[in-house]
């Protein structure tokens, strides 16, 4: 089993930045991909960014490309999401997720491909 614990959420003004962290433990060697998702009230869960841990390659949703950066520190088993130029529409609960299998590019931002989830952290962007 893998446990994921997010941190770093909070409130920020539009145009500001936040960095989310997600610590993974204890059996992380089996993980292939880690990703960030978000869910706003009344909306479906949206895939934002994914990273192939072994290769370091990344995928981004168009809605955050150029503003958000996903990264992973192998020594700390921690996933990050640097969020810049935040907008009010970025307000949501942000979740990190992980899986233990190869995932095709088109599916790396699909929630159904991930079996491990964190508890979520709230991000609120005000104008």
């Amino acid at each position: 089993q893998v446990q994921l614990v997010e941190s770093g959420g909070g409130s920020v003004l539009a145009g500001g930045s936040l960095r989310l962290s997600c610590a993974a433990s204890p059996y992380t060697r089996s993980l292939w991909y880690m990703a960030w998702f978000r869910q706003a009230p009344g909306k479906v869960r949206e895939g934002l960014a994914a990273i192939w841990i072994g290769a370091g390659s990344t995928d981004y949703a168009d809605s955050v490309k150029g503003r958000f950066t996903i990264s992973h520190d192998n020594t700390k088993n921690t996933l990050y999401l640097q969020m810049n130029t935040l907008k009010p529409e970025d307000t949501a609960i942000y979740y990190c997720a992980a899986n233990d299998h190869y995932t095709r590019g088109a599916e790396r931002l699909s929630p159904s491909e991930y079996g491990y989830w964190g508890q979520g952290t709230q991000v609120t962007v005000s104008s």
Side-chain angles (χ1 to χ4, degrees), residues 61-120:
D62 288 342
S63 59
V64 302
K65 196 173 296 183
R67 298 191 299 126
F68 292 9
T69 302
I70 189 172
S71 61
H72 182 264
D73 186 331
N74 291 332
T75 64
K76 298 181 179 179
N77 291 322
T78 300
L79 180 72
Y80 301 99
L81 186 68
Q82 177 65 44
M83 305 186 294
N84 298 328
T85 319
L86 283 161
K87 306 173 183 180
E89 50 264 44
D90 293 318
T91 295
I93 299 175
Y94 283 68
Y95 299 90
C96 72
N99 71 17
D100 56 7
H101 55 85
Y102 175 74
T103 306
R104 294 184 301 173
E107 299 170 350
R108 289 170 193 164
L109 297 181
S110 173
S112 63
E113 289 296 322
Y114 294 85
Y116 303 107
W117 290 86
Q119 81 287 354

Side-chain angles (χ1 to χ4, degrees), residues 22-37:
C22 173
S25 64
Y27 305 108
T28 61
R29 288 184 176 270
S30 64
L31 298 181
W32 277 66
Y33 294 89
M34 296 188 75
W36 288 99
F37 294 81

